[in-house]
Amino acid sequence: MANEEDDPVVQEIDVYLAKSLAEKLYLFQYPVRPASMTYDDIPHLSAKIKPKQQKVELEMAIDTLNPNYCRSKGEQIALNVDGACTDETSTYSSKLMDKQTFCSSQTTSNTSRYAAALYRQGELHLTPLHGILQLRPSFSYLDKADAKHREREAANEAGDSSQDEAEDDVKQITVRFSRPESEQARQRRVQSYEFLQKKHAEEPWVHLHYYGLRDSRSEHERQYLLCPGSSGVENTELVKSPSEYLMMLMPPSQEEEKDKPVAPSNVLSMAQLRTLPLADQIKILMKNVKVMPFANLMSLLGPSIDSVAVLRGIQKVAMLVQGNWVVKSDILYPKDSSSPHSGVPAEVLCRGRDFVMWKFTQSRWVVRKEVATVTKLCAEDVKDFLEHMAVVRINKGWEFILPYDGEFIKKHPDVVQRQHMLWTGIQAKLEKVYNLVKETMPKKPDTQSGPAGLVSGDQRIQAAKTKAQQNHALLERELQRRKEQLRAPAVPPGVRIKEEPVSEEGEEDDEQEAEEEEPMDTSPSGLHSKLANGLPPGRAAGTDSFNGHPPPGCASTPVARELRAFVEATFQRQFVLTLSELKRLFNLHLASLPPGHTLFSGISDRMLQDTVLAAGCKQILVPFPPQTAASPDEQKVFALWESGDMSDQHRQVLLEIFSKNYRVRRNMIQSRLTQECGEDLSKQEVDKVLKDCCVSYGGMWYLKGTVQS
């Protein structure tokens, strides 16, 4: 007791267990280096992994300009490895050992006692480690040098041998047939060291993209080290109710458990369910119920659960349809499963079910025959999709099972906006896979305008007739107007009239201006984007927009100022971005904003690109190869032309190189920069420019976002 009084508690820290990266987090242990240099400062040329073996290889650049680097030794090693001539297969293309490979090995098989900790605002967040790997230098280039040496010795011995040697004597060959392998012999062979080594060697390498410490993706992934439910104590797994805590202290005896009836494996009681983490509770409920209003979900989870945490969790396992939540298709059909009716793989089933969900975002009614015709799936699979979320009405079709939840739509506009963006991306994929006609597809789902009423077939036919009559009357008036213009009297002398075009081009321009006010399409391949080569049609020939001048009056609005600040801050960090990557970063930025922010009013593709050009950026017309798999948004590359630092001139020369080449070797970049910027250009300056603007893949350099692995 005296010792406890002398050592009082100074501070109490809450500890949280984060599980978002529990199955993905690895600890890399690098060789010891000086404290002044970190491995993040060294350019990572390439990275690859064998997932089954948990084996990683990293290729890093060596600072050949360092005074401690022995240049003669580096040249000798490159000569021994590659020989006098260099080609595509050479290890060191610069005839100098300028890179080093690090290979990993597992330090321990049991990592349950280790975790990564992050201290933030008086809270300690722990994430369990999935593996610990030690990176050691790989000397495989020495094996290659030895092989070259043996080849040269064999060639010399073959040259010294006499040409007049008699031919080898004919030798008798004995053919033997192996006996059938027994089961025990096969098991011994499978468990042998040689067989395991052969299996490990057969596993293919998977190439990775390395992102530095200050990259936006690294910052985004680092947020997963924080426990999402740390704001409320009720969300932690350590807090139990008195009855649950008593059950943990005094579990029921085995005899009592045997007396209880055995429940099905897929059924959980509410008491068992509430012992699970919140994310698992939401997933299990949605997987069993499939369609549920948000209010019902909150009542099942209990009054002590924070609604914000539930909203964050429900968006990971469900999609919003008519104000209600419908479980995602990949939850019902995991990756390796198939249809019990037709044997169709899970990927095709998920695509067909997503089409049914998307149809219900457009209308209260869906016809099964139409779904079967588009998806090409059997009738049983389509019926399963519809039974998950709809009820059949005789002679009418399938109606969505729940009424439209307008209260949730009004209460959570930010969630509705995010879900609308997700549905836009899903719609783009469905159009591409099923070849849907764009003209017949509505631009906005019914969830934005309210519930659709019941419309009979006769009413639809009557509405179509009325619309056709109105269109006919409009066409008649237009034809009459043009005839009157042709019959108009001649213009008196001395009077000059400004003529306006009456061709269809003017009408298309008006329609285009109206469509430019649509919200930005944030899918990877935009459906309604009217932009070509980064600029709207009709403006591509103009020089004002391309040179960075925004549309008149747009810079004075709060939305434009907020968008301009986001674009400038993003390009100061990234320097080079494709339009697709910029949209992704903008969506992440929107997700972090509070509800009701001005940027939720809708940003069009044209406004985003004009803001980029106005922020001092230029579009780099990268000559993509004809067989590229990049989408149109991925082929629009923008770069910050002037940032105000010392590397502006080097960066501009590099961007001009990539305006003529899709991929470039490092020696070409080095020679061009030396030619344009002088002989005193150091390797560190070249590495900085390459790190800011490019990525390395397969020994070649690409602009960020343009390489397609």
Side-chain angles (χ1 to χ4, degrees), residues 656-670:
E656 289 178 357
I657 294 174
F658 280 100
S659 65
K660 300 177 182 178
N661 301 275
Y662 172 63
R663 56 181 182 178
V664 188
R665 289 192 174 275
R666 181 189 173 92
N667 54 6
M668 177 181 176
I669 297 174
Q670 179 84 36

PDB file of all heavy atoms in Angstrom, residues 656-670:
ATOM      1  N   GLU A 656       7.143  17.963 -70.926  1.00  0.00           N
ATOM      2  CA  GLU A 656       7.251  18.053 -72.389  1.00  0.00           C
ATOM      3  C   GLU A 656       7.711  16.728 -72.987  1.00  0.00           C
ATOM      4  O   GLU A 656       7.302  16.359 -74.089  1.00  0.00           O
ATOM      5  CB  GLU A 656       8.222  19.172 -72.763  1.00  0.00           C
ATOM      6  CG  GLU A 656       7.673  20.578 -72.483  1.00  0.00           C
ATOM      7  CD  GLU A 656       8.687  21.659 -72.830  1.00  0.00           C
ATOM      8  OE1 GLU A 656       9.809  21.296 -73.223  1.00  0.00           O
ATOM      9  OE2 GLU A 656       8.344  22.845 -72.700  1.00  0.00           O
ATOM     10  N   ILE A 657       8.569  16.006 -72.265  1.00  0.00           N
ATOM     11  CA  ILE A 657       8.995  14.695 -72.750  1.00  0.00           C
ATOM     12  C   ILE A 657       7.798  13.752 -72.841  1.00  0.00           C
ATOM     13  O   ILE A 657       7.616  13.038 -73.840  1.00  0.00           O
ATOM     14  CB  ILE A 657      10.084  14.114 -71.815  1.00  0.00           C
ATOM     15  CG1 ILE A 657      11.355  14.964 -71.880  1.00  0.00           C
ATOM     16  CG2 ILE A 657      10.404  12.673 -72.187  1.00  0.00           C
ATOM     17  CD1 ILE A 657      12.418  14.537 -70.887  1.00  0.00           C
ATOM     18  N   PHE A 658       6.946  13.759 -71.803  1.00  0.00           N
ATOM     19  CA  PHE A 658       5.801  12.851 -71.784  1.00  0.00           C
ATOM     20  C   PHE A 658       4.661  13.328 -72.684  1.00  0.00           C
ATOM     21  O   PHE A 658       3.707  12.581 -72.882  1.00  0.00           O
ATOM     22  CB  PHE A 658       5.301  12.666 -70.346  1.00  0.00           C
ATOM     23  CG  PHE A 658       6.106  11.685 -69.564  1.00  0.00           C
ATOM     24  CD1 PHE A 658       7.074  12.114 -68.678  1.00  0.00           C
ATOM     25  CD2 PHE A 658       5.920  10.330 -69.739  1.00  0.00           C
ATOM     26  CE1 PHE A 658       7.823  11.210 -67.957  1.00  0.00           C
ATOM     27  CE2 PHE A 658       6.661   9.412 -69.022  1.00  0.00           C
ATOM     28  CZ  PHE A 658       7.626   9.854 -68.132  1.00  0.00           C
ATOM     29  N   SER A 659       4.718  14.526 -73.187  1.00  0.00           N
ATOM     30  CA  SER A 659       3.720  14.937 -74.180  1.00  0.00           C
ATOM     31  C   SER A 659       3.983  14.303 -75.538  1.00  0.00           C
ATOM     32  O   SER A 659       3.129  14.355 -76.421  1.00  0.00           O
ATOM     33  CB  SER A 659       3.710  16.464 -74.313  1.00  0.00           C
ATOM     34  OG  SER A 659       4.945  16.922 -74.848  1.00  0.00           O
ATOM     35  N   LYS A 660       5.167  13.690 -75.689  1.00  0.00           N
ATOM     36  CA  LYS A 660       5.517  13.022 -76.949  1.00  0.00           C
ATOM     37  C   LYS A 660       5.749  11.530 -76.764  1.00  0.00           C
ATOM     38  O   LYS A 660       5.870  10.809 -77.758  1.00  0.00           O
ATOM     39  CB  LYS A 660       6.780  13.652 -77.540  1.00  0.00           C
ATOM     40  CG  LYS A 660       6.635  15.138 -77.842  1.00  0.00           C
ATOM     41  CD  LYS A 660       7.934  15.719 -78.366  1.00  0.00           C
ATOM     42  CE  LYS A 660       7.798  17.225 -78.620  1.00  0.00           C
ATOM     43  NZ  LYS A 660       9.064  17.828 -79.087  1.00  0.00           N
ATOM     44  N   ASN A 661       5.854  11.065 -75.538  1.00  0.00           N
ATOM     45  CA  ASN A 661       6.129   9.659 -75.278  1.00  0.00           C
ATOM     46  C   ASN A 661       5.228   9.176 -74.154  1.00  0.00           C
ATOM     47  O   ASN A 661       5.046   9.869 -73.152  1.00  0.00           O
ATOM     48  CB  ASN A 661       7.595   9.448 -74.864  1.00  0.00           C
ATOM     49  CG  ASN A 661       8.572   9.928 -75.920  1.00  0.00           C
ATOM     50  OD1 ASN A 661       8.898   9.216 -76.848  1.00  0.00           O
ATOM     51  ND2 ASN A 661       9.030  11.164 -75.766  1.00  0.00           N
ATOM     52  N   TYR A 662       4.709   7.956 -74.328  1.00  0.00           N
ATOM     53  CA  TYR A 662       3.856   7.368 -73.299  1.00  0.00           C
ATOM     54  C   TYR A 662       4.676   6.821 -72.145  1.00  0.00           C
ATOM     55  O   TYR A 662       4.289   6.931 -70.992  1.00  0.00           O
ATOM     56  CB  TYR A 662       3.010   6.254 -73.929  1.00  0.00           C
ATOM     57  CG  TYR A 662       2.219   5.425 -72.954  1.00  0.00           C
ATOM     58  CD1 TYR A 662       1.228   6.005 -72.172  1.00  0.00           C
ATOM     59  CD2 TYR A 662       2.450   4.053 -72.821  1.00  0.00           C
ATOM     60  CE1 TYR A 662       0.492   5.251 -71.281  1.00  0.00           C
ATOM     61  CE2 TYR A 662       1.718   3.290 -71.934  1.00  0.00           C
ATOM     62  CZ  TYR A 662       0.743   3.894 -71.162  1.00  0.00           C
ATOM     63  OH  TYR A 662       0.011   3.141 -70.272  1.00  0.00           O
ATOM     64  N   ARG A 663       5.815   6.240 -72.434  1.00  0.00           N
ATOM     65  CA  ARG A 663       6.729   5.736 -71.413  1.00  0.00           C
ATOM     66  C   ARG A 663       8.156   6.029 -71.846  1.00  0.00           C
ATOM     67  O   ARG A 663       8.462   6.034 -73.045  1.00  0.00           O
ATOM     68  CB  ARG A 663       6.539   4.236 -71.193  1.00  0.00           C
ATOM     69  CG  ARG A 663       6.697   3.390 -72.462  1.00  0.00           C
ATOM     70  CD  ARG A 663       6.468   1.944 -72.163  1.00  0.00           C
ATOM     71  NE  ARG A 663       6.673   1.107 -73.356  1.00  0.00           N
ATOM     72  CZ  ARG A 663       6.579  -0.213 -73.366  1.00  0.00           C
ATOM     73  NH1 ARG A 663       6.290  -0.847 -72.250  1.00  0.00           N
ATOM     74  NH2 ARG A 663       6.779  -0.903 -74.470  1.00  0.00           N
ATOM     75  N   VAL A 664       9.027   6.282 -70.872  1.00  0.00           N
ATOM     76  CA  VAL A 664      10.379   6.761 -71.154  1.00  0.00           C
ATOM     77  C   VAL A 664      11.340   6.049 -70.217  1.00  0.00           C
ATOM     78  O   VAL A 664      11.007   5.742 -69.061  1.00  0.00           O
ATOM     79  CB  VAL A 664      10.487   8.297 -70.955  1.00  0.00           C
ATOM     80  CG1 VAL A 664      11.841   8.803 -71.437  1.00  0.00           C
ATOM     81  CG2 VAL A 664       9.366   9.020 -71.685  1.00  0.00           C
ATOM     82  N   ARG A 665      12.570   5.818 -70.724  1.00  0.00           N
ATOM     83  CA  ARG A 665      13.625   5.274 -69.875  1.00  0.00           C
ATOM     84  C   ARG A 665      14.299   6.390 -69.087  1.00  0.00           C
ATOM     85  O   ARG A 665      14.324   7.542 -69.514  1.00  0.00           O
ATOM     86  CB  ARG A 665      14.669   4.531 -70.713  1.00  0.00           C
ATOM     87  CG  ARG A 665      14.152   3.225 -71.284  1.00  0.00           C
ATOM     88  CD  ARG A 665      15.303   2.399 -71.849  1.00  0.00           C
ATOM     89  NE  ARG A 665      14.829   1.101 -72.273  1.00  0.00           N
ATOM     90  CZ  ARG A 665      14.703   0.057 -71.470  1.00  0.00           C
ATOM     91  NH1 ARG A 665      15.017   0.186 -70.190  1.00  0.00           N
ATOM     92  NH2 ARG A 665      14.269  -1.100 -71.917  1.00  0.00           N
ATOM     93  N   ARG A 666      14.885   5.996 -67.986  1.00  0.00           N
ATOM     94  CA  ARG A 666      15.503   6.991 -67.109  1.00  0.00           C
ATOM     95  C   ARG A 666      16.685   7.684 -67.775  1.00  0.00           C
ATOM     96  O   ARG A 666      16.880   8.886 -67.614  1.00  0.00           O
ATOM     97  CB  ARG A 666      15.941   6.318 -65.799  1.00  0.00           C
ATOM     98  CG  ARG A 666      16.568   7.302 -64.819  1.00  0.00           C
ATOM     99  CD  ARG A 666      17.194   6.599 -63.634  1.00  0.00           C
ATOM    100  NE  ARG A 666      17.906   7.548 -62.811  1.00  0.00           N
ATOM    101  CZ  ARG A 666      17.408   8.200 -61.792  1.00  0.00           C
ATOM    102  NH1 ARG A 666      16.149   8.023 -61.470  1.00  0.00           N
ATOM    103  NH2 ARG A 666      18.143   9.040 -61.078  1.00  0.00           N
ATOM    104  N   ASN A 667      17.494   6.932 -68.532  1.00  0.00           N
ATOM    105  CA  ASN A 667      18.667   7.564 -69.149  1.00  0.00           C
ATOM    106  C   ASN A 667      18.270   8.642 -70.159  1.00  0.00           C
ATOM    107  O   ASN A 667      18.956   9.646 -70.316  1.00  0.00           O
ATOM    108  CB  ASN A 667      19.549   6.510 -69.804  1.00  0.00           C
ATOM    109  CG  ASN A 667      18.771   5.637 -70.788  1.00  0.00           C
ATOM    110  OD1 ASN A 667      17.599   5.891 -71.059  1.00  0.00           O
ATOM    111  ND2 ASN A 667      19.415   4.607 -71.295  1.00  0.00           N
ATOM    112  N   MET A 668      17.114   8.458 -70.830  1.00  0.00           N
ATOM    113  CA  MET A 668      16.637   9.481 -71.752  1.00  0.00           C
ATOM    114  C   MET A 668      16.216  10.740 -70.995  1.00  0.00           C
ATOM    115  O   MET A 668      16.510  11.870 -71.406  1.00  0.00           O
ATOM    116  CB  MET A 668      15.461   8.938 -72.571  1.00  0.00           C
ATOM    117  CG  MET A 668      14.853   9.954 -73.518  1.00  0.00           C
ATOM    118  SD  MET A 668      13.453   9.268 -74.424  1.00  0.00           S
ATOM    119  CE  MET A 668      12.918  10.736 -75.322  1.00  0.00           C
ATOM    120  N   ILE A 669      15.530  10.534 -69.859  1.00  0.00           N
ATOM    121  CA  ILE A 669      15.130  11.687 -69.036  1.00  0.00           C
ATOM    122  C   ILE A 669      16.359  12.403 -68.505  1.00  0.00           C
ATOM    123  O   ILE A 669      16.436  13.640 -68.506  1.00  0.00           O
ATOM    124  CB  ILE A 669      14.214  11.215 -67.893  1.00  0.00           C
ATOM    125  CG1 ILE A 669      12.915  10.602 -68.443  1.00  0.00           C
ATOM    126  CG2 ILE A 669      13.882  12.364 -66.946  1.00  0.00           C
ATOM    127  CD1 ILE A 669      12.035   9.988 -67.382  1.00  0.00           C
ATOM    128  N   GLN A 670      17.347  11.632 -68.045  1.00  0.00           N
ATOM    129  CA  GLN A 670      18.565  12.227 -67.497  1.00  0.00           C
ATOM    130  C   GLN A 670      19.291  13.068 -68.545  1.00  0.00           C
ATOM    131  O   GLN A 670      19.711  14.198 -68.287  1.00  0.00           O
ATOM    132  CB  GLN A 670      19.485  11.104 -66.990  1.00  0.00           C
ATOM    133  CG  GLN A 670      20.798  11.575 -66.411  1.00  0.00           C
ATOM    134  CD  GLN A 670      20.669  11.970 -64.960  1.00  0.00           C
ATOM    135  OE1 GLN A 670      19.916  11.362 -64.223  1.00  0.00           O
ATOM    136  NE2 GLN A 670      21.391  12.989 -64.547  1.00  0.00           N
TER     137      GLN A 670
END
